[in-house]
Amino acid sequence: MKLSAVLLSFTALFSYVNCKDQDDGESGSNRPLLHLTPEKGWMNDPNGLWYDAKEELWHAYFQYNPKATTWGVPLYWGHSTSKDLATWNETDIAIRPARNDSGAYSGSMVIDYNNTSGFFNGSVDPRQRVIAMWTYNTPQSETQYISYSVDGGYTFIDYAQNPVLEINSTNYRDPKVTWHEETGKWIATIAHSQKFEILIYSSPNMKNWTLESSFSHKGYLGFQYECPGLAKVPFVEASNNDFVPSNLTYPNTTTYNSSYFDTASSNKSESKDAWVMFISINPGAPLGGSVTEYFLGDFNGTHFTPFTSQTRLLDFGKDFYAFQSFFNSPNGEDLLGLAWASNWQYAQYAPTDEWRSSMTLVRNFTIQEYAPNPESIELTLNSIPVFDRQNLTANQSSIRTQNRTLEQNSPIFLNLSNKPTGVFDFNLTWAVNGSAYNNTVFADFSLYLIGNEDTDEYLRIGYEANACSFFLDRGHSEVDFVQHNTFFTNRLSVYLEPYKTSSTGVNSYKVYGVVDRNIIELYFNDGTSVMTNTFFFTDGNYINEIGIETSLDHVYLIEDFSVQQLGN
């Protein structure tokens, strides 16, 4: 099956595997298997994500320091490619700064199908006419450069009249460019970082830019804005559409005061998409350090107008920053993207050798309705991971348990494999009996994800009914970094709305999780909220045993729990 066909229907999931370190766990390496990492050196923000439809090839560039495992100049654009989003091949450096005291900072990639720039001739396939727009950083200034490629994105030629934008600032960076079909223009969003504004420009040719507007002082401010983006995102029906509060009609919520969501229409297929503004901030996130927030709204070619004043977080974990979307997708409609899976509070001290940092899994984003409480229906940017699971399950073990009522004195222990890889995914659905506890107790159930060589190292995840929240505890480790770095927050949580409610009033919840040696991604209620966090055990101490315990009898019913080990 071709990848394009799979992405059209999303009947299968796809992911990243770094081809430089594919192993089945025997090496004892804690390098992730499913998440993109550099072969060596330092990596941070994703840059220039695009899909080559001619070669059916995915391209991912990233901020890269090949000479150390910490950030430093000169800073380059590293580059990896993939045929199937399951195996990545690291190639040569794509973009280099002109001086050793400077950096090729973050930016994005576009495909100039119609040669609006005039950079290309007939020898370059229209599907490979890629142009990078990026920030050239020096001690004196930050300006915007463009570079183009005539060999399919492997090497780049700097535009002779760079910079194409400058405003006499040292904090003016991270251009993200998209094509606005309605006006026939390129649209760039650039962070005027410490003025807390996203400048919106338009251009007919990628060379000459006009400032159209500013999106300013919205959401969490922190110390500065970074890595903005503006993208059109499809609106789809929620998968659990039966769970809608019966006492609410759509006009009761101001979320829908937009032509994009004509709630008076009986044909919801007429409402297809909306625009999303992404902004990353660092430092100053609610959990500390780095975070990415977003706003749902309308874009008319010059101005972005949010539907409401809501500030939404794209991920509720501590290790998700500098999100960027792919310029295109195989079907021309899906919005795919990924982020840097770390946090500037501690990224440069993470306990890995020869390489440091990874990306998140690629995710597919849609706008969906959900019910945060019994009296409201709101919109959220829903996300699901994208990875080729089928090829990773061959000859790997799996376990499953169903309809298990939890009791204090009857813990459940499950062993995954006699040859652990440290990589697995799981689906968990549980129900909560609200009449079996009161508000004076800590009413939880916990899953202990236990290392196979040292059982004192484990992750604890679970749900507590009085807080209505799912929690993660990543502090049970022998690794010095985990024990002593005060910014590596051990205990984290996210509020969960019910996935569904039975006719008798019992609430059920669900989570899909991916554990990849030193990173865990949790997708709640089919992706209405997501939580991404790194964790660190002793090298080779892969999770292989899962214990399930509760603090109270008959509160929790495990409706379904399945675990599948993944590997090569």
Side-chain angles (χ1 to χ4, degrees):
M1 180 182 292
K2 290 186 177 180
L3 179 63
S4 56
V6 176
L7 286 174
L8 281 170
S9 62
F10 277 96
T11 56
L13 298 175
F14 281 82
S15 76
Y16 276 157
V17 174
N18 188 298
C19 68
K20 303 295 185 180
D21 194 70
Q22 293 186 49
D23 65 71
D24 58 7
E26 292 181 350
S27 69
S29 170
N30 279 3
R31 179 192 291 269
L33 182 67
L34 307 182
H35 292 74
L36 175 61
T37 61
E39 180 181 6
K40 64 178 182 178
W42 164 268
M43 177 177 73
N44 57 289
D45 306 358
N47 299 149
L49 310 177
W50 68 288
Y51 176 71
D52 182 343
K54 178 186 178 183
E55 300 295 335
E56 297 184 335
L57 188 70
W58 298 86
H59 290 258
Y61 306 82
F62 48 86
Q63 295 285 277
Y64 183 47
N65 178 11
K67 299 178 181 179
T69 56
T70 54
W71 186 95
V73 294
L75 198 67
Y76 305 85
W77 273 31
H79 182 208
S80 289
T81 64
S82 176
K83 273 286 188 182
D84 57 5
L85 292 182
T87 303
W88 284 86
N89 297 291
E90 187 169 316
T91 70
D92 291 337
I93 289 170
I95 296 178
R96 303 169 182 267
R99 297 163 20 188
N100 285 337
D101 66 345
S102 63
Y105 275 21
S106 287
S108 58
M109 199 77 67
V110 303
I111 305 172
D112 189 9
Y113 296 105
N114 297 317
N115 197 23
T116 63
S117 63
F119 288 147
F120 307 99
N121 57 35
S123 66
V124 182
D125 189 286
R127 295 167 292 181
Q128 296 180 317
R129 294 173 176 173
V130 289
I131 303 174
M133 188 173 188
W134 53 280
T135 298
Y136 181 49
N137 170 277
T138 70
Q140 294 77 35
S141 67
E142 289 187 341
T143 57
Q144 312 313 313
Y145 277 35
I146 58 174
S147 306
Y148 61 97
S149 175
V150 294
D151 63 359
Y154 293 92
T155 62
F156 286 82
I157 303 166
D158 291 343
Y159 176 45
Q161 297 182 46
N162 278 330
V164 295
L165 280 170
E166 57 181 331
I167 60 170
N168 191 30
S169 172
T170 57
N171 290 285
Y172 172 61
R173 57 182 173 271
D174 308 337
K176 180 65 171 76
V177 185
T178 190
W179 176 255
H180 190 251
E181 188 66 35
E182 293 80 359
T183 58
K185 291 183 179 181
W186 300 105
I187 302 297
T189 51
I190 304 176
H192 196 189
S193 295
Q194 296 182 16
K195 293 291 187 179
F196 299 114
E197 59 181 354
I198 305 303
L199 302 179
I200 300 175
Y201 295 86
S202 71
S203 172
N205 56 17
M206 292 291 293
K207 301 173 181 176
N208 307 111
W209 293 90
T210 300
L211 178 63
E212 300 288 359
S213 62
S214 169
F215 185 72
S216 177
H217 289 83
K218 298 295 193 297
Y220 291 103
L221 301 183
F223 176 72
Q224 61 190 353
Y225 283 171
E226 291 188 312
C227 302
L230 188 61
K232 184 182 287 188
V233 183
F235 172 72
V236 301
E237 293 283 356
S239 60
N240 60 328
N241 201 47
D242 57 324
F243 179 59
V244 174
S246 59
N247 63 338
L248 182 74
T249 56
Y250 287 116
N252 291 346
T253 173
T254 58
T255 299
Y256 295 89
N257 292 337
S258 168
S259 60
Y260 281 96
F261 298 99
D262 181 9
T263 55
S265 172
S266 61
N267 183 6
K268 287 192 177 182
S269 64
E270 296 175 1
S271 301
K272 293 184 178 180
D273 47 53
W275 287 83
V276 180
M277 175 71 79
F278 301 95
I279 301 175
S280 291
I281 62 170
N282 175 70
L287 295 177
S290 322
V291 78
T292 298
E293 59 187 339
Y294 71 94
F295 305 84
L296 300 175
D298 189 4
F299 180 65
N300 64 3
T302 59
H303 293 71
F304 174 77
T305 304
F307 291 160
T308 72
S309 60
Q310 286 175 279
T311 300
R312 299 169 170 91
L313 299 185
L314 194 54
D315 190 290
F316 291 90
K318 189 114 187 225
D319 294 301
F320 186 99
Y321 188 64
F323 169 81
Q324 186 169 130
S325 60
F326 282 82
F327 174 76
N328 61 326
S329 64
N331 67 4
E333 298 178 0
D334 299 316
L335 185 78
L336 307 179
L338 53 77
W340 180 46
S342 195
N343 190 302
W344 278 113
Q345 282 190 325
Y346 47 75
Q348 300 191 91
Y349 317 110
T352 56
D353 295 325
E354 298 185 355
W355 60 277
R356 188 167 275 145
S357 296
S358 63
M359 297 299 177
T360 66
L361 296 173
V362 176
R363 299 175 186 177
N364 178 41
F365 292 87
T366 55
I367 298 171
Q368 295 190 19
E369 301 165 343
Y370 82 112
N373 59 55
E375 298 185 6
S376 296
I377 295 176
E378 298 292 334
L379 298 178
T380 188
L381 192 58
N382 200 84
S383 62
I384 60 171
V386 185
F387 73 99
D388 185 357
R389 189 172 181 272
Q390 181 176 355
N391 291 336
L392 298 166
T393 59
N395 301 316
Q396 301 294 337
S397 58
S398 64
I399 52 177
R400 187 175 189 180
T401 186
Q402 295 176 291
N403 297 319
R404 301 283 293 270
T405 299
L406 299 184
E407 298 181 353
Q408 292 184 71
N409 297 325
S410 300
I412 301 169
F413 290 98
L414 306 169
N415 284 293
L416 186 55
S417 173
N418 58 10
K419 189 179 180 182
T421 64
V423 187
F424 59 92
D425 66 356
F426 64 88
N427 279 285
L428 172 64
T429 306
W430 71 96
V432 182
N433 179 5
S435 64
Y437 66 95
N438 59 51
N439 63 2
T440 66
V441 296
F442 187 76
D444 80 302
F445 83 95
S446 296
L447 280 72
Y448 295 86
L449 311 181
I450 305 166
N452 68 306
E453 294 184 356
D454 182 353
T455 58
D456 288 333
E457 291 189 318
Y458 59 87
L459 285 178
R460 181 186 178 189
I461 61 175
Y463 180 82
E464 203 283 320
N466 280 311
C468 302
S469 297
F470 197 93
F471 60 82
L472 177 144
D473 185 347
R474 58 181 178 174
H476 303 278
S477 171
E478 306 287 348
V479 177
D480 183 75
F481 164 82
V482 175
Q483 295 181 359
H484 295 104
N485 190 299
T486 55
F487 296 111
F488 190 73
T489 314
N490 289 336
R491 295 175 178 175
L492 303 154
S493 65
V494 59
Y495 164 77
L496 288 190
E497 74 282 358
Y499 178 72
K500 64 180 179 180
T501 300
S502 72
S503 59
T504 58
V506 175
N507 290 330
S508 292
Y509 307 80
K510 67 188 303 186
V511 59
Y512 171 71
V514 180
V515 176
D516 189 8
R517 293 184 180 158
N518 69 11
I519 184 170
I520 179 171
E521 299 192 21
L522 299 170
Y523 298 80
F524 300 101
N525 293 344
D526 291 335
T528 59
S529 58
V530 187
M531 189 180 191
T532 303
N533 293 285
T534 55
F535 65 95
F536 299 99
F537 289 178
T538 305
D539 277 355
N541 190 28
Y542 296 150
I543 293 170
N544 193 47
E545 183 178 23
I546 300 174
I548 307 175
E549 299 183 7
T550 184
S551 58
L552 295 173
D553 291 340
H554 308 299
V555 173
Y556 293 102
L557 171 67
I558 302 299
E559 296 179 329
D560 195 2
F561 180 47
S562 61
V563 187
Q564 173 67 60
Q565 180 164 283
L566 306 173
N568 293 315

